[in-house]
Amino acid sequence: MKEIPVPVSLLEAEAAETSPRRLRRESFTGLGLLTPAIVIVILFSLAPLAYLVLVSFTRESTFFFNNPVYTGGNYRTIVNRYMPHVWTTIRLATLASIVNLVFGFPFAYILARKISYRELVRTLMVFPLVGPLYLAFGLYYVLLPNGPGAPILEFLGINATSLLFSEPMTIFGMALFTFPFMVMNVVAALANVDPTLEEAASTLGAESWQTFTRVVFPLSWPGILAGFLMCFGWNLGVYVVPILLGSTPQQRVLSLTLQQKAMSQFDYGLAAAMGVVLMVLAFSVTWISLRFSRGALGA
Amino acid sequence: MSGSRPIDLPAGVTIPEGAGGSSSWKTVRTVLQHAYIWIWLVIFVIPFLATLVYSFESPKGGYSLEAYDFVKGAFLENLVYSLELTLMAIIGNLLISIPAAYAIVRHNVPGKRLILSTLNVSLYAPAAVMGLSLLITYAYLLDFMPLTHSTWGLLAAYVVGTFPLMLLPIIVALRDMPMVYQEAAHTLGASRAQSLFRIELPLLGPGIGAGILMTFVIVFNEFLVTLFIAGPENQTAALRVYGLTRTAGFSQSTAAAAATMQLVSFVVVLVFFKLVGSRYLKGTYFA
Amino acid sequence: MSRVQLISVAKRYGDTVAVRDFTADIADGEFVTLLGPSGCGKTTTLRMVAGLVDPSSGYILFDDQVMNRVPTNKRNIGLAFQSHALFPHMSVAKNIAFGLTMKRRPKAEIRNKVEEMLDLIEMTGYGDRMPAQLSGGQQQRVALARMLATDPRVLLFDEPLSALDRNLRDTLKYSILELQRRTKKTAIYVTHDQSEAFAISDRIFVMNQGRVEQAGSQLDIYLRPATEFVANFVGDNNAISGVIESIASLPDGQRTARVKAGTFELQGYAPDTLDVGDEVLAFVRPENIEVVGQNTQQQADGLVSGMVEQIVFEGPTVRLNVDCDGVLLNVSASGVERLTLLDKGEKRVTLRFRDVSLVKQ
């Protein structure tokens, strides 16, 4: 049998596809295109955060001088005196995220499966997203003794003024801001559950709660958990809601203490240590949440 | 056609009792479901509407536009500054995100996942932490780069904190875009640059639009990082509103400023939805 | 086992009517197919029987019991989905056991039933596999086992084979028929594929735009289409328009009409609704047109002559396009004589029509 000669050009093309040199050139171009992003992230995110960690080990504001004193004292101070603020932060974030889960899941389920005016919902959901500042400000006004909410709440048997500067109101304000995050995560999770699976379950005799526990939940819980953790992560950094809707001693969160230590008392060392605590909390939560929400933000 | 005509049932037909669930219960359930959504929709807009109504109230009783004199006067400067800053942040994000998106989707870069999650770091750091770390960094760099209390300092903070929100929709759009368009452009004699500007960027339009929207909403309303690194000379509008709630207390002018900020943001989002739709906002906070 | 009745069932979505005035009486153990193009309302009808869609009006009865207000999970039905809808997070055995688990049957009973079902679908030993590890055909068989495991009173099929490739479709449709015959359960089968419908049904409902165009046996549907839509939708057909000149009753009660169509005349079966003078469409299937003579011009009763325009050899048949004085006919010739047609010299043919059906225009 005669051998058929392979055309030279074909050989070259094949070689070009897989040659390590070409691959290396590809990655160089790629890295080149990524350079601006990497540079700005290193300069304005990674380096400052690393510097924050460094400063957290200095005494008071010694980093402004040439020979800073390194100590673990700031962390000892946090453990001895500021743990209530850490717990408050975690408590408020947990409760607000639970509120999100309890109220956001049914909302997301109805939104994904039952109604047709999704665009309207999506548009109006922009209002809480625009920011906790305006949200807290608006709720504050609604609850004022002469505000518009007072008569309605009075009618429901609730004293509006008692709600203002209270923990439930703080949690509600925080939850309202993160509500869309929860809803969108659950909607994305439900998009992965084919509605015909729910129909199949009901043709096989399952009650709606059985369909939920046996089919919908097992298939969507990673997204639900991701949503919960994302809300939790956002709520850890809460700052303005407790100021406007809570009372300072009871709802004093870490961000607020940190800001006051740094901006009013110029104790940058302690503030930085608080920042590190907050950062570690937030990053660990985010890391877990990204493990579960494959593709939502992690690409 | 047979809408209201009563239908006779044959003799001997029974309607089983206790089968559970009746169509009236189904109707009630449907109504409850819609009601639940609407209750929340009302809650979403109540803070804004209340603020808006309050801003129209005159201290002397009745309603007036008096409070908006403040928005048109002293606040206008902050508003313009904020819009300028937001515009610059959008441009900065575009310049960084488009090449980065190409690198991630079209090039074989080692450690892609790690790079991508590193790029997102400042998105996940709490704002107070970002603010503080930038504050001390800017102070440290004062002798080399005057970033403290400067527009450039704010801009860098905004870009690093929001460009991932621009990057992601562009990555999604780029993945959706088949290579054939680019290849077709090349076979028709287009250079790399011609193909980029005439074919690819227009096709990426919606994705880029989504990124612009995200950047706008976040940067325009950001006040916490700003609180740490802005000086008295560069007060953004959002920071001014925050400052007013702390100093001026609960006044009509504060309400007017807050309402204006929300209205501007909402209109921008609305215009975006009308023009582009929400397809490319998938996986983001808006959809 | 159940008798299923639909009485004037309709479904409207706002102004659009998905199903209008559907009435049917399906006997215990009968295999009925709803056949029609997509969007004709066949799936909506099936989903109303399943309780997944509420009818806007009308009644659905199982064994003389009104089902309208009975929720899906209390109707005791089995539904096979186009996408098979196996629960992806459960093993094959768990999927098959699902219905019995919902009914809280004893563990031992469930285990036996699962084994029995796996045997039935010839997949013994596959119980621990996950759905993703199965081929498309296996998945659909598991779905069938899952729906049979609860011993449902009615079997419903929503295009269960349309996602599979052709060979698999052919074998599975006979498996479905066999399962239904063996279990003697009432079955309603939705499809847009007429060969599927003809192969397995006792009775076919042809639907179009929410309405039943014709209900009847395969032969009725194929040879006596009641409407123009049915004639065109089911198989190839030639449509010739004409006017009825006379009608005669045959001894067996059928009516035959003589139709004048352009320059020629033909005979066809006329339903009772037609009268002399009506404008009608005469439908003749290509295989029911016989080539009786070549290169001759015979003028006899029931014969038509025309010019051959095109000849396509398709193996078992030869397809001819024949121009009969302006009427283009599609003729499918089989048998040995088809080969003689391939001689390109033969241009003029004489045709005889059989089984002509008439539909009011």
Side-chain angles (χ1 to χ4, degrees), chain B residues 61-106:
Chain B
Y63 291 91
S64 78
L65 282 171
E66 259 171 63
Y68 285 86
D69 292 341
F70 165 69
V71 175
K72 283 182 285 180
F75 189 65
L76 190 64
E77 195 185 313
N78 307 99
L79 210 55
V80 170
Y81 182 59
S82 266
L83 288 170
E84 283 170 4
L85 261 179
T86 308
L87 186 66
M88 285 195 280
I90 287 170
I91 293 168
N93 281 356
L94 282 173
L95 291 178
I96 288 174
S97 301
I98 292 173
Y102 266 92
I104 282 162
V105 177
R106 293 282 156 89

Side-chain angles (χ1 to χ4, degrees), chain A residues 56-57 72-87 254 257 261 269-271 273-274 277:
Chain A
S56 76
F57 287 103
N74 294 320
Y75 290 96
R76 269 196 299 278
T77 314
I78 291 178
V79 172
N80 292 335
R81 289 187 45 205
Y82 293 101
M83 278 320 273
H85 300 185
V86 177
W87 294 125
L254 217 47
T257 316
K261 288 289 160 212
L270 185 56
M274 289 173 175
V277 171

Side-chain angles (χ1 to χ4, degrees), chain B residues 194-214:
Chain B
Q194 281 172 320
S195 148
L196 180 70
F197 284 102
R198 285 167 177 265
I199 306 295
E200 294 162 55
L201 288 186
L203 285 170
L204 290 178
I208 292 172
I212 291 176
L213 177 71
M214 306 282 287

Side-chain angles (χ1 to χ4, degrees), chain C residues 42 63 84 88 99 103 112 123-124 139 158 195 205 269 274:
Chain C
K42 57 190 194 300
D63 288 330
H84 63 69
K103 290 185 174 149
N112 290 337
M123 282 179 67
T124 317
Q139 288 175 339
D158 185 7
S195 69
F205 286 75
Y269 297 97
L274 292 181

Side-chain angles (χ1 to χ4, degrees), chain A residues 26-27 30 33 48 51 103 107 117 119 122-123 126 130 134 138 140-142 179 239 243 263 271 286 296-297, chain B residues 34 36 38 44 50 54 57 99 103 107-108 124 132 137 140 221 227 242 246 250 261-262 270 278 283 285-286:
Chain A
E26 268 269 287
S27 15
L33 291 172
Y51 188 49
F103 291 97
F107 187 95
Y117 41 89
E119 282 299 314
R122 207 169 276 165
T123 312
V126 166
V130 163
Y134 315 126
Y140 177 86
Y141 168 61
V142 170
F179 197 83
Y239 172 83
I243 297 180
M263 309 287 284
T286 306
L297 263 175
Chain B
H34 287 265
Y36 185 73
W38 281 98
F44 291 158
Y54 182 64
E57 267 175 31
H107 291 272
N108 176 41
Y124 300 128
L132 178 63
T137 307
Y140 179 78
N221 294 297
L227 175 66
Y242 170 72
R246 309 302 301 138
F250 199 76
M261 296 294 287
Q262 291 179 80
L270 221 55
S278 58
Y285 308 132
F286 284 96

Side-chain angles (χ1 to χ4, degrees), chain C residues 274-292:
Chain C
L274 292 181
D275 274 319
V276 175
D278 281 351
E279 291 199 354
V280 291
L281 279 176
F283 284 100
V284 203
R285 299 205 173 272
E287 70 271 23
N288 290 339
I289 301 177
E290 193 188 349
V291 181
V292 291

